[in-house]
Amino acid sequence: MAVAAAGGPVANVYPFRDARAAPDPVLEAGPGAHGPLPVPLVLDNGSFQARAGWACPGPDPGPEPRLQFRAVCARGRGGARGGAGPQVGNALGSLEPLRWMLRSPFDRNVPVNLELQELLLDYSFQHLGVSSQGCVDHPIVLTEAVCNPLYSRQMMSELLFECYGIPKVAYGIDSLFSFYHNKPKNLISSGLIISSGYQCTHILPILEGRLDAKNCKRINLGGSQAAGYLQRLLQLKYPGHLAAITLSRMEEILHEHSYVADDYVGELQKWRCPDYYENNVHKMQLPFSSKLLGSTLGSEEKQERRQQQLRRLQELNARRREEKLQLDQERLDRLLYVQELLEDGQMDQFHKALVELNMDSPEELQSYIQKLSSAVEQAKQKILQAEVTLEVDVVDSKPESCMCGLVPNADSMNPPPPTPGPPEGFREEMGVVETPDLEQLEPSLEDVESINDFEPLFSEETPEVEKPVTTVQPVFNLAAYHQLFVGTERIRAPEIIFQPSLIGEEQAGVAETLQYILDRYSKDVQDLLVQNVFLTGGNMMYPGMKGRIEKELLEMRPFQSAFKVQLASNPVLDAWYGARDWALDHLDDDEVWITRKEYEEKGGEYLKEHCASNIYVPIRLPKQASRFSDAQAPTRGSGASGGSAGEQA
């Protein structure tokens, strides 16, 4: 319940939280990470959020990952000039001011930019308190995409083994790790996983505990596309608030105010009823100011603000001049020190210093010293002049700033000489009481009319004045003008994974893809798969998602057939929990870890299969084509012979 600016309580009004991420502290590894054997590091490398933590053995391995941050980074504007370096994850704070600078290592859900991926790994290892010098002396469990390209895995293995020097690594699919965490222990189960994340939605069949990669399907829609679609809908609906409708706020609406309808068309029909709309619409309150500063400020206040801004600019320029002067003075002191080496006859150190300064001769050094000395002197003169000007401005502005509002006009500073009048006590005897000059205290008629013009907008804050009979009615409520009425948009944005045609995508939705996958199996296998339909991923957390999947399965399955849909206990973090459980269960199993020796022998694309991994597909190189000169075009016979010769070689 919220209170509107116009008066009474209004239901379904929600302010935007606009939450800022708090910088992550540099944690200590803890006593559990320093055992007789290196403790594995678990990294859930998601395209929306990265999660990192330790897989500490023991009865209580830890409640949650110790590090969670957005998988984005931004480089500072300073660059090589000494400014701030790249910032990662929660160090960015609010993302909207830096939206145009944000970079992600992912293309869809596959890491392709390994330079940015290295920044994310550096951030994770540093804030987790990895204390080994020169390397990361811990096994790593890393999540990857379904059917991850071999090139991406090769570059990731090269980064981990060559840059960080890890002893061994294991790759696994995040949704399979989540499935591993939620199934009963030591149970080889089959099922159908529907995983929807930030960029993609996957449907994965599991047969006897192993992924059937040939029948996996991917839909290129997820939470990112839903947020973009919701942003376009609200920007078309409220063109006056384009700048305020940001992606971060759209993600907040998706996470906290959206839901999935069991019957999309029937739900839209309900929204046509005014009572249903009024009871279910969510009014998102944008920040606004209840004062129009340009119309309420007087001329003296405007002048005072201009002078304050001018003084701030002068102080800022003076501070920049002082910083530049300090840098130039340090450079000059260094050059003078090098010149003293020449005067003292220390030629070896002098020539070494010249090489460091990228100079060729003493004459060039002397020329540079003269130029820098003149620049330092000019900067000192400018600083002195600026200080004198600033003092003069402050002295001149003090009487005006102190007396404005106390003295009605300038003539009152020099009052005229008193005119002769009746003696003292004469007016008191006659019953006449002196009153102050009311003409300067009461507002004029023009001021009253100007106040009446703005009274409809600021009915709470303007003083009550005796109004004429013909009053101006309020035009609109300023607080209501800064509200976004989110009605059918609450169900339209999540609906795109069931109907991609809403945003113009020529793809099949979740229900059609699910039917297509089931049709590729026999009836017995279909009955086995639908007994364990598992939902995971952050995009599956909408209210009503489980009921909608059950409704779709009810429509496509035979009459009176049984099926079971299960939602992950924590769709966002279960992938990390499952990877931690898997690491603890297979800590001493060398059949599932890729060691550094195997990486050097078999290449970076090599993969060891396990219950939560992809299926290893070896690279098949094409036949080597024969080489011909540009002047001779190869014939079909010669190409075949060249190919056979290449095979023999």
Side-chain angles (χ1 to χ4, degrees):
M1 188 71 70
V3 178
V10 178
N12 298 337
V13 178
Y14 303 90
F16 282 109
R17 293 186 294 107
D18 291 334
R20 292 176 56 90
D24 292 314
V26 178
L27 305 173
E28 295 182 359
H34 301 288
L37 295 176
V39 176
L41 268 170
V42 180
L43 302 177
D44 183 11
N45 195 30
S47 58
F48 176 75
Q49 191 179 53
R51 305 162 194 91
W54 301 95
C56 297
D60 187 12
E64 60 183 11
R66 305 185 68 182
L67 197 63
Q68 302 181 49
F69 59 92
R70 286 289 293 267
V72 290
C73 55
R75 297 187 181 275
R77 296 184 179 181
R81 294 179 295 175
Q87 295 179 330
V88 179
N90 294 332
L92 296 172
S94 178
L95 297 183
E96 290 309 320
L98 305 172
R99 181 69 68 176
W100 62 279
M101 297 175 59
L102 296 181
R103 299 292 182 269
S104 173
F106 294 89
D107 182 6
R108 295 289 182 180
N109 60 337
V110 177
V112 294
N113 193 330
L114 273 299
E115 294 182 2
L116 301 179
Q117 182 66 55
E118 184 178 353
L119 293 178
L120 299 185
L121 293 177
D122 286 342
Y123 185 85
S124 302
F125 297 147
Q126 177 184 359
H127 286 78
L128 284 177
V130 177
S131 58
S132 52
Q133 296 293 330
C135 65
V136 178
D137 192 17
H138 295 272
I140 289 182
V141 181
L142 187 69
T143 61
E144 64 178 7
V146 181
C147 300
N148 190 34
L150 295 181
Y151 177 76
S152 176
R153 186 182 301 117
Q154 178 184 1
M155 298 300 294
M156 185 67 73
S157 297
E158 181 178 347
L159 177 65
L160 293 175
F161 284 108
E162 302 293 344
C163 180
Y164 296 103
I166 65 171
K168 55 185 179 180
V169 66
Y171 296 102
I173 304 172
D174 49 1
S175 54
L176 293 186
F177 278 134
S178 179
F179 184 73
Y180 182 87
H181 177 70
N182 285 271
K183 73 179 182 64
K185 294 297 182 182
N186 301 322
L187 177 64
I188 300 177
S189 59
S190 300
L192 203 59
I193 300 176
I194 303 178
S195 172
S196 184
Y198 187 61
Q199 294 286 355
C200 301
T201 299
H202 293 92
I203 301 180
L204 313 176
I206 306 297
L207 295 176
E208 296 181 357
R210 299 303 299 273
L211 174 68
D212 185 10
K214 293 183 179 180
N215 293 320
C216 292
K217 296 299 174 185
R218 182 178 78 171
I219 304 170
N220 289 324
L221 293 175
S224 174
Q225 289 74 23
Y229 180 47
L230 181 59
Q231 184 184 34
R232 292 196 299 272
L233 288 176
L234 292 181
Q235 284 181 344
L236 288 172
K237 189 175 181 180
Y238 298 99
H241 300 300
L242 290 179
I245 301 174
T246 61
L247 276 176
S248 297
R249 288 175 175 169
M250 297 305 101
E251 291 173 357
E252 181 179 336
I253 293 176
L254 281 177
H255 296 164
E256 300 180 8
H257 302 278
S258 298
Y259 67 97
V260 174
D262 286 346
D263 183 6
Y264 180 68
V265 178
E267 190 74 14
L268 289 179
Q269 293 296 328
K270 292 181 182 179
W271 279 95
R272 299 184 66 177
C273 176
D275 294 336
Y276 186 87
Y277 179 88
E278 186 64 28
N279 294 330
N280 293 277
V281 66
H282 284 195
K283 303 170 185 177
M284 307 303 300
Q285 183 68 58
L286 294 172
F288 73 100
S289 175
S290 60
K291 293 184 179 180
L292 297 176
L293 298 178
S295 61
T296 58
L297 292 180
S299 59
E300 295 180 355
E301 294 180 358
K302 290 181 180 178
Q303 185 66 23
E304 181 63 24
R305 289 202 171 193
R306 292 195 190 99
Q307 292 179 0
Q308 291 178 0
Q309 292 175 357
L310 180 60
R311 283 193 290 270
R312 290 195 194 100
L313 289 175
Q314 290 175 348
E315 293 173 358
L316 181 61
N317 290 333
R319 194 180 305 116
R320 289 179 177 176
R321 290 194 194 99
E322 292 176 358
E323 293 175 356
K324 185 176 183 303
L325 176 62
Q326 183 178 2
L327 292 176
D328 291 343
Q329 188 66 44
E330 292 177 357
R331 295 173 186 169
L332 182 60
D333 294 341
R334 177 170 175 77
L335 295 179
L336 292 175
Y337 171 74
V338 175
Q339 189 179 20
E340 291 178 359
L341 293 178
L342 176 62
E343 295 174 355
D344 296 341
Q346 301 178 9
M347 301 305 297
D348 294 338
Q349 298 182 6
F350 173 73
H351 288 298
K352 184 178 180 181
L354 275 185
V355 172
E356 292 178 355
L357 295 173
N358 198 14
M359 294 184 182
D360 298 331
S361 62
E363 291 78 8
E364 184 179 358
L365 174 65
Q366 186 65 29
S367 174
Y368 200 87
I369 289 176
Q370 293 177 359
K371 293 179 181 179
L372 201 55
S373 300
S374 61
V376 169
E377 291 297 328
Q378 292 178 3
K380 290 181 179 178
Q381 293 296 329
K382 288 183 179 179
I383 290 176
L384 291 176
Q385 294 176 2
E387 290 178 353
V388 172
T389 306
L390 184 60
E391 291 177 359
V392 172
D393 292 342
V394 172
V395 171
D396 292 343
S397 62
K398 277 182 179 179
E400 181 180 357
S401 62
C402 294
M403 300 303 296
C404 66
L406 298 178
V407 180
N409 50 29
D411 295 335
S412 62
M413 295 294 295
N414 298 315
T419 57
E424 297 181 1
F426 178 79
R427 290 182 178 272
E428 296 178 359
E429 292 176 359
M430 298 299 294
V432 179
V433 180
E434 291 189 88
T435 58
D437 189 5
L438 296 179
E439 293 181 358
Q440 297 178 359
L441 297 180
E442 294 180 354
S444 62
L445 181 61
E446 296 178 355
D447 294 336
V448 173
E449 291 176 354
S450 64
I451 291 174
N452 292 334
D453 290 339
F454 289 103
E455 188 168 2
L457 301 181
F458 312 105
S459 57
E460 292 183 351
E461 299 171 2
T462 53
E464 294 184 1
V465 188
E466 293 183 5
K467 304 176 185 178
V469 179
T470 58
T471 58
V472 180
Q473 297 296 329
V475 180
F476 65 95
N477 188 352
L478 191 61
Y481 174 73
H482 285 80
Q483 289 177 356
L484 306 180
F485 285 62
V486 185
T488 58
E489 293 84 7
R490 295 176 58 195
I491 61 173
R492 292 175 69 181
E495 186 67 19
I496 63 171
I497 65 171
F498 294 96
Q499 300 185 53
S501 59
L502 292 176
I503 58 174
E505 292 286 342
E506 296 182 355
Q507 301 184 57
V510 170
E512 293 87 346
T513 308
L514 194 61
Q515 178 69 63
Y516 177 79
I517 292 176
L518 289 175
D519 290 342
R520 299 174 69 90
Y521 296 99
S522 62
K523 292 184 179 181
D524 296 338
V525 178
Q526 289 184 25
D527 295 337
L528 182 64
L529 292 176
V530 297
Q531 294 304 317
N532 190 8
V533 179
F534 181 72
L535 310 181
T536 186
N539 207 40
M540 285 288 170
M541 295 183 66
Y542 298 111
M545 177 63 76
K546 181 180 177 182
R548 177 65 178 272
I549 297 294
E550 290 175 344
K551 175 179 176 295
E552 299 290 349
L553 280 171
L554 184 64
E555 292 179 355
M556 70 178 65
R557 295 301 298 157
F559 180 65
Q560 291 186 346
S561 61
F563 58 85
K564 183 179 180 182
V565 179
Q566 176 190 0
L567 181 65
S569 57
N570 191 333
V572 175
L573 296 180
D574 275 358
W576 187 89
Y577 290 143
R580 180 198 62 186
D581 297 343
W582 181 92
L584 294 176
D585 294 341
H586 300 81
L587 190 58
D588 299 328
D589 189 2
D590 295 335
E591 298 297 325
V592 296
W593 297 88
I594 304 171
T595 62
R596 182 177 183 85
K597 181 178 180 181
E598 291 171 334
Y599 159 75
E600 294 173 350
E601 291 180 355
K602 302 177 181 179
E605 69 278 0
Y606 179 65
L607 174 71
K608 285 189 175 180
E609 297 181 5
H610 53 82
C611 62
S613 71
N614 278 301
I615 305 300
Y616 176 64
V617 180
I619 295 179
R620 296 180 180 178
L621 297 175
K623 294 182 180 180
Q624 191 174 13
S626 59
R627 299 179 180 178
F628 293 92
S629 62
D630 296 339
Q632 297 178 356
T635 61
R636 183 171 301 178
S638 60
S641 62
S644 62
E647 291 175 2
Q648 293 175 2

